[in-house]
């Protein structure tokens, strides 16, 4: 069964029924395989739901105008089937530190949502900070969900920075809002390549050990 729920004009959550035996670790991704003219066209998507929610596989997907997979998804109807490979990927929750700083833009939020749902409530002695960057206030994905999470859990902090709009919150790129103190902190970065590599380099320059920087690049 395929269910589709739009979060905005161009972002939707795809839900697939999967066998209960399908297991994954929060932070991993799958590869959807689109078939056309006898050929398979693979496209990777992070898993949105936590592993504890079994029997379902969700992804939070941004539609790109003219994009190959995006156009396939746009035409997809509830109930349609889609094949995939996986899970795979090395973006994992790093329990060796008690501070966790998550940096993402756009649908880079997807694997983090899975990690938060899996670990925030069950690890009250760990501190989680989400720094989410986007252009405009209207593009903030899942804002009310995360505001609710921040209100419910003392160990979850939610920061938003906007690049193209004046507002009461943080302004500028995510790279400009990394914490000054990086001691005993694990970092997680997810989104488009330039942001991921630039943020990673900034953290390395601050002497964060490479093994405490987990990344997933979307291109
Ligand atoms: C490990 C991994 C996990 C991923 N997880 C997700 C996920 O959870 N959700 C998600 O939405 N995407 C995710 N992606 C990106 C996804 O695989 C596709 O690249 C994306 O959906 C665009 O595919 P497309 O076929 O529609 O566009 P394409 O036909 O591949 O590209 C069309 C054009 O759009 C540009 N483009 C591609 N992506 C973007 C973007 N995000 N913003 C602006 N321009 C873009 C391309 O450079 C190209 O010029 C992930 C990628 C990787 C490698």
């Amino acid at each position: 069964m395929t269910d589709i729920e739009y979060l905005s004009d161009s972002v939707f959550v795809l839900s697939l029924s999967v066998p209960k035996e399908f297991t994954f670790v929060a932070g991993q991704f799958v590869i959807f395989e689109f078939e056309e003219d006898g050929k398979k066209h693979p496209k990777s998507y992070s898993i949105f739901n936590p592993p504890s929610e079994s029997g379902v596989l969700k992804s939070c997907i941004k539609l790109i105008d003219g994009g190959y997979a995006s156009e396939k998804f746009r035409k997809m109807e509830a109930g349609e089937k889609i094949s995939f490979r996986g899970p795979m990927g090395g973006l994992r929750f790093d329990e060796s530190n008690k501070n966790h700083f998550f940096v993402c833009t756009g649908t880079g939020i997807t694997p983090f949502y899975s990690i938060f749902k899996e670990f925030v409530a069950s690890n009250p002695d760990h501190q989680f900070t989400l720094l989410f960057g986007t252009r405009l206030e209207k593009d903030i994905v899942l804002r009310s969900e995360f505001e609710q999470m921040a209100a419910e859990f003392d160990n979850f902090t939610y920061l938003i920075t906007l690049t193209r709009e004046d507002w009461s919150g943080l302004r500028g790129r995510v790279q400009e809002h990394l914490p000054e103190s990086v001691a005993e902190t694990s970092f997680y970065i997810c989104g488009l390549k330039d942001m991921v590599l630039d943020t990673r380099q900034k953290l390395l320059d601050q002497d964060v050990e490479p093994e405490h920087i987990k990344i997933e690049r979307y291109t």
Side-chain angles (χ1 to χ4, degrees), residues 43-46 60-62 64 67-70 107 110 217-218:
K43 286 280 171 175
S44 303
Y45 289 92
S46 299
C60 180
I61 298 172
K62 177 167 175 62
I64 311 291
Y68 178 83
S70 298
T107 49
T110 308
R217 283 169 44 176
Y218 277 7

Side-chain angles (χ1 to χ4, degrees), residues 13 16 36 72 81 86 94 102 120 124 141-142 154 163 171 174 178 180 185 196 198 202-203 211:
V13 175
L16 304 175
E36 195 172 328
K72 297 281 182 199
K81 287 188 175 175
D94 175 12
F102 295 79
V120 169
V141 186
L142 296 163
D154 289 343
T163 52
R171 283 292 321 270
V174 284
L178 299 174
E180 276 173 27
T185 303
V196 171
D198 193 35
K202 285 201 155 47
L203 292 170
E211 66 265 32

